[in-house]
């Protein structure tokens, strides 16, 4: 313990920011330089999972790494050292460019966490609105405000590693709005867009930070949800279906249209790929439509 205390004291006087995380990416140590670079004191950060903190690392393309492609998490999984350039969000709101280096922490030959060392790579500070704009262009569907297909695919690929490495269980939903073509044909594309926005608003505020729900394309949507037991997948899918069915769009002061959707739900398997799991979910969605629409079709 005395030696460990000495090491921590040494780390605390380094000019580089240093923090440790466990295998769940919960931050267990935050040194003085990390406080200075980020503006966050240790007591504001330690104990939080990376994705719960407000650091919100993004890369130059605007991808939110804490949610859909954390290199530190990848290092924890495969033990490979990594480095790169990212932008962290300072406590005052602006973005700071930093150079990061990530290493696995091992104990008795087993990876028990990771360490990230970061330093400000330039005296330049970037306006937060500019960086957020780049992030949105890369990952957000402009019409609905939901994650776009690129974001969904990246998140799903990322979750495959949790299935194989930590034996976690996730379900994938594929959703198609019923008779969407009729909205456009009967009322015009403006109402069709309003249908997509209404449905999205009904769901977007119910999503946990471990899950994702976004627009796949057109009137198709997809979601990835962490579950404990396989039967929970059908419960999650039914909840989404009901939320959609409670959405409506006003055509005039005296007329409104209701929305419904068919949902395919399946469980991510260890031998799945992005293509296989989405194909299975899509086939189940089509089965739900053939069964009468506005329903859920589930298969593990």
């Amino acid at each position: 313990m005395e030696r460990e205390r000495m090491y921590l004291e040494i780390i605390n006087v380094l000019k580089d920011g240093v923090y440790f995380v466990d295998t769940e990416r919960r931050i267990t140590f935050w040194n003085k330089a990390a406080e200075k670079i980020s503006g966050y004191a240790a007591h504001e950060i330690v104990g939080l999972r990376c994705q719960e903190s407000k650091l919100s690392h993004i890369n130059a393309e605007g991808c939110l790494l804490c949610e859909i492609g954390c290199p530190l998490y990848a290092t924890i999984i495969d033990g490979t050292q990594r480095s790169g350039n990212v932008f962290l969000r300072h406590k005052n709101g602006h973005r700071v460019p930093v150079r990061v280096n990530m290493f696995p922490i091992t104990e008795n030959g087993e990876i028990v966490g990771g360490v990230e060392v970061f330093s400000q790579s330039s005296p330049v500070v970037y306006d937060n609105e500019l960086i957020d704009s780049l992030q949105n262009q890369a990952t957000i569907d402009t019409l609905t405000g939901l994650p776009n297909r690129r974001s969904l695919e990246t998140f799903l690929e990322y979750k495959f590693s949790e299935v194989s490495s930590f034996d976690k269980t996730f379900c994938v939903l594929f959703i198609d709005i019923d008779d969407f073509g009729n909205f456009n044909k009967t009322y015009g594309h403006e109402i069709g867009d309003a249908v997509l926005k209404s449905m999205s608003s009904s769901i977007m505020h119910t999503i946990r930070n471990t899950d994702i729900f976004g627009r796949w394309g057109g009137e198709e949507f997809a979601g990835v949800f962490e579950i404990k037991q396989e039967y929970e997948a059908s419960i999650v899918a039914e909840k989404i279906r009901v939320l959609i069915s409670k959405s409506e769009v006003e055509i005039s002061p005296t007329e409104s249209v209701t929305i419904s959707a068919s949902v395919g739900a399946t469980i991510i398997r260890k031998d799945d790929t992005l293509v296989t799991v989405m194909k299975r979910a899509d086939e189940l969605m089509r089965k739900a439509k053939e069964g009468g629409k506005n329903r859920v079709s589930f298969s593990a």
Side-chain angles (χ1 to χ4, degrees):
M1 291 298 295
E2 187 62 34
R3 179 172 293 183
E4 181 179 333
R5 189 178 299 110
M6 178 186 70
Y7 290 154
L8 292 179
E9 288 178 357
I10 294 172
I11 293 172
N12 254 328
V13 299
L14 294 176
K15 292 184 178 180
D16 290 337
V18 179
Y19 68 95
F20 304 159
V21 299
D22 60 20
T23 55
E24 293 294 323
R25 288 194 293 159
R26 194 173 303 280
I27 300 170
T28 60
F29 176 79
W30 187 257
N31 79 340
K32 296 296 184 182
E35 292 184 328
K36 183 177 181 180
I37 295 171
S38 70
Y40 287 99
H43 72 268
E44 297 175 288
I45 293 292
V46 172
L48 298 177
R49 296 178 68 192
C50 290
Q51 59 268 45
E52 295 170 340
S53 75
K54 296 182 180 180
L55 298 172
S56 302
H57 289 51
I58 63 175
N59 60 18
E61 288 72 42
C63 294
L64 188 58
L65 301 178
C66 295
E67 296 288 346
I68 57 173
C70 175
L72 179 57
Y73 184 64
T75 289
I76 293 172
I77 291 175
D78 61 18
T80 301
Q81 297 181 14
R82 288 176 169 81
S83 63
N85 298 303
V86 303
F87 297 87
L88 65 78
R89 186 192 296 271
H90 190 275
K91 185 177 180 179
N92 291 338
H94 56 267
R95 291 281 179 176
V96 179
V98 292
R99 178 70 180 175
V100 296
N101 291 277
M102 290 141 286
F103 310 88
I105 299 175
T106 59
E107 188 174 287
N108 299 322
E110 181 180 352
I111 297 176
V112 295
V115 57
E116 180 170 307
V117 181
F118 62 98
S119 57
Q120 193 164 340
S121 57
S122 165
V124 177
V125 174
Y126 290 79
D127 179 77
N128 197 54
E129 291 185 2
L130 172 62
I131 298 297
D132 284 347
S133 175
L134 291 174
Q135 177 184 322
N136 287 343
Q137 290 176 30
T139 63
I140 301 299
D141 175 64
T142 55
L143 176 65
T144 63
L146 293 173
N148 60 20
R149 179 166 177 167
R150 174 183 173 185
S151 183
L152 286 164
E153 290 178 335
T154 304
F155 185 88
L156 187 54
E157 291 281 12
Y158 174 62
K159 286 302 179 182
F160 283 136
S161 62
E162 293 193 0
V163 173
S164 59
S165 300
F166 297 107
D167 201 29
K168 289 190 175 182
T169 307
F170 297 89
C171 66
V172 174
L173 308 186
F174 198 79
I175 301 101
D176 186 90
I177 299 177
D178 295 328
D179 303 315
F180 181 74
N182 290 340
F183 291 116
N184 287 329
K185 183 178 180 180
T186 305
Y187 303 106
H189 287 282
E190 184 175 342
I191 295 300
D193 288 349
V195 167
L196 297 176
K197 292 178 182 178
S198 176
M199 192 216 82
S200 301
S201 297
S202 297
I203 296 173
M204 65 192 309
H205 299 300
T206 69
I207 305 302
R208 303 170 300 181
N209 60 12
T210 55
D211 306 327
I212 192 172
F213 184 86
R215 188 180 182 190
W216 192 254
E219 68 271 27
E220 295 176 336
F221 295 77
V224 183
F225 298 84
E226 183 175 339
I227 56 178
K228 300 295 184 182
Q229 303 292 333
E230 288 189 354
Y231 70 84
E232 294 176 33
S234 57
I235 296 175
V236 171
E238 183 63 17
K239 174 185 175 182
I240 296 296
R241 186 199 65 79
V242 171
L243 282 171
I244 294 172
S245 69
K246 298 298 182 182
S247 305
E248 60 180 35
V249 173
E250 185 178 277
I251 304 299
S252 69
T254 58
E255 183 183 7
S256 62
V257 294
T258 57
I259 307 168
S260 72
S262 300
V263 184
T266 189
I267 306 294
I268 294 179
R269 303 167 185 169
K270 289 188 176 181
D271 60 347
D272 261 327
T273 64
L274 175 66
V275 172
T276 60
V277 71
M278 293 309 300
K279 180 181 179 181
R280 192 164 64 250
D282 179 46
E283 290 173 348
L284 287 165
M285 178 275 293
R286 296 181 187 282
K287 182 178 179 181
K289 281 196 180 295
E290 293 169 359
K293 302 178 183 178
N294 192 24
R295 57 192 295 153
V296 171
S297 178
F298 166 68
S299 174

